[in-house]
Amino acid sequence: MEDKNNIQSSAYNQLIDNVGVALQEGRRNAATAINHAIVRTYWQIGQYIVEYEQRGNERAEYGSNLLNRLSKDLTERYGEGFGRSNVFYIRKLYIEYPKVQTLSELSWSHYIELLKIEDNLERSFYEKECRSEHWGVRELKRQKDSLLFQRLALSTNKKNVMQLAQNGQIVEKPEDILKEPYVFEFTGLPKLPVYKEGDVEEALVSNLSMFLLELGKGFAFIGRQQKIFIAGRTYKVDLVFYHRILKCFVLIDLKKGEITHNDIGQMNFYLNYFREEMNTDGDNEPIGIVLGTESDKLVMQYATAGLSNQVFVSRYQLYLPNREQIEAEFRRFFSSHKLD
């Protein structure tokens, strides 16, 4: 009888768990359906506003009398949700997405953030990433603020901005995972002239979810200060990841200042070890990324030339990039490359 009761208890607990899973799934589906319905309803309201304008009535620029009056009258008649700012973005939703079929199943909060982006290519990129990477609004804001689109476009071998905008970030080869620069503002470290390398590493690991978001898709954290034993000596790799898309180890070495040719040699040494001792069947060649606050391009060119291993160099910074400088560089890049 005791065993039977235990079996019944186990089955009952499984029943409770199954109900919980069903509820969570149902609530998630209901929330998605509600969000999608809200966005489509706002799109239709935006259509009515624009059609009103096109019949020769008042324009609805931000702060215009029409928006002010709409906000006031709609709020009085239908309740909350029709503040002037919201009405402005409702109208803009229809203007930027004139075909309702092109709307993604994102929340209205996502669309407000997307509609703040004036450049169509940039907006398309962030929309694709929200869908494929399941970004919440917080992640979307962070990636916008860190200028992810511009940094990817300016990174190594990133010459096809149109493809980036149309398809989002696609990782097919090692170069595709690089950014210039990496932004670690989420560490919360104060602005100091010099840091210890361990301080930055500790801050990154302590904020691992944000660090993985900054690294991009496909990274799985293996460990920090991974020990290598060779000829009676111990060496340590700062950070080790496995990339599930490229199917390879990714080693990251952090430098507190300028990257030197010695740093490249050290990374090459680590990669040789991982290729011979750590790789298993199915693993591709390991990748090394050396991150520093600055580097000389000519020195790095000579340091990496002729290496059989894949060693990449990039910069990192502990604060958000200067928007004006990066956007100016991006515009120069944009004008110098023909986009089909």
Side-chain angles (χ1 to χ4, degrees):
M1 180 64 68
E2 185 176 353
D3 290 340
K4 184 177 181 180
N5 288 336
N6 286 336
I7 293 173
Q8 290 176 339
S9 176
S10 174
Y12 182 77
N13 288 334
Q14 184 63 52
L15 170 62
I16 296 297
D17 291 341
N18 290 340
V19 171
V21 170
L23 278 173
Q24 289 180 351
E25 183 68 20
R27 288 168 178 169
R28 185 162 50 248
N29 291 339
T32 299
I34 291 171
N35 281 326
H36 197 41
I38 289 173
V39 171
R40 285 177 174 263
T41 299
Y42 282 162
W43 180 91
Q44 190 170 37
I45 295 171
Q47 180 184 25
Y48 293 152
I49 294 173
V50 172
E51 288 176 349
Y52 175 85
E53 296 175 297
Q54 291 173 344
R55 288 195 293 267
N57 295 288
E58 183 183 357
R59 293 288 299 169
E61 300 302 333
Y62 188 77
S64 71
N65 289 333
L66 176 58
L67 286 188
N68 290 335
R69 182 172 178 180
L70 273 174
S71 173
K72 179 176 179 295
D73 291 344
L74 291 175
T75 299
E76 287 182 356
R77 184 172 297 189
Y78 302 112
E80 296 180 357
F82 294 103
R84 185 178 63 178
S85 176
N86 214 40
V87 173
F88 170 79
Y89 284 114
I90 288 172
R91 172 185 177 269
K92 191 171 183 179
L93 179 69
Y94 176 77
I95 292 174
E96 299 297 341
Y97 298 87
K99 295 182 179 180
V100 70
Q101 295 85 355
T102 61
L103 291 173
S104 303
E105 292 190 7
L106 299 173
S107 71
W108 177 237
S109 297
H110 281 97
Y111 271 108
I112 287 180
E113 293 302 318
L114 291 171
L115 291 169
K116 292 177 182 178
I117 303 171
E118 294 300 326
D119 182 79
N120 291 334
L121 294 178
E122 184 179 353
R123 186 189 312 115
S124 174
F125 165 78
Y126 286 112
E127 184 179 354
K128 298 293 189 302
E129 290 299 293
C130 280
R131 291 172 57 188
S132 65
E133 298 305 302
H134 307 290
W135 286 351
V137 178
R138 180 188 176 195
E139 286 82 4
L140 171 58
K141 287 181 178 179
R142 191 263 165 187
Q143 298 290 31
K144 282 175 50 188
D145 290 342
S146 71
L147 303 179
L148 175 63
F149 175 65
Q150 289 85 348
R151 288 187 291 129
L152 284 174
L154 294 171
S155 294
T156 306
N157 294 330
K158 288 292 182 183
K159 295 184 177 181
N160 197 334
V161 181
M162 187 67 73
Q163 182 179 2
L164 188 65
Q166 291 176 342
N167 302 320
Q169 184 187 13
I170 297 177
V171 177
E172 296 178 331
K173 55 188 182 299
E175 293 88 341
D176 294 336
I177 67 176
L178 295 177
K179 294 174 185 158
E180 177 65 31
Y182 288 82
V183 181
F184 301 149
E185 92 295 342
F186 53 84
T187 61
L189 289 171
K191 292 185 179 181
L192 298 175
V194 179
Y195 291 91
K196 296 179 181 178
E197 291 169 8
D199 293 339
V200 178
E201 181 186 322
E202 178 69 34
L204 292 177
V205 175
S206 297
N207 295 273
L208 188 57
S209 62
M210 294 300 291
F211 185 26
L212 289 172
L213 180 65
E214 173 59 15
L215 288 177
K217 58 186 67 177
F219 282 87
F221 182 60
I222 302 299
R224 58 180 294 199
Q225 294 297 308
Q226 293 287 96
K227 293 180 179 180
I228 295 176
F229 301 100
I230 301 177
R233 299 187 63 181
T234 302
Y235 306 88
K236 296 179 180 179
V237 184
D238 287 345
L239 298 163
V240 178
F241 297 84
Y242 192 85
H243 201 279
R244 59 179 178 79
I245 300 174
L246 298 176
K247 300 188 183 307
C248 67
F249 286 103
V250 180
L251 314 184
I252 296 181
D253 206 9
L254 292 169
K255 301 302 173 184
K256 64 181 180 181
E258 182 176 2
I259 301 171
T260 69
H261 66 283
N262 291 326
D263 300 324
I264 303 303
Q266 182 182 51
M267 177 57 77
N268 192 50
F269 171 72
Y270 294 157
L271 291 175
N272 284 331
Y273 176 87
F274 264 74
R275 185 183 65 245
E276 297 299 326
E277 303 293 339
M278 302 299 291
N279 269 16
T280 59
D281 291 343
D283 287 339
N284 292 317
E285 295 285 305
I287 300 169
I289 303 176
V290 183
L291 294 178
T293 56
E294 56 183 304
S295 64
D296 184 275
K297 290 185 178 180
L298 185 58
V299 172
M300 293 302 101
Q301 179 180 335
Y302 285 129
T304 57
L307 292 180
S308 59
N309 292 313
Q310 303 175 99
V311 180
F312 301 99
V313 174
S314 189
R315 295 181 298 113
Y316 73 86
Q317 57 190 60
L318 300 173
Y319 49 88
L320 291 174
N322 184 295
R323 178 173 291 274
E324 289 73 22
Q325 291 178 357
I326 286 191
E327 287 186 343
E329 186 177 355
F330 176 73
R331 284 193 293 272
R332 288 194 298 271
F333 168 85
F334 191 95
S335 61
S336 65
H337 292 83
K338 182 178 179 181
L339 303 178
D340 298 323

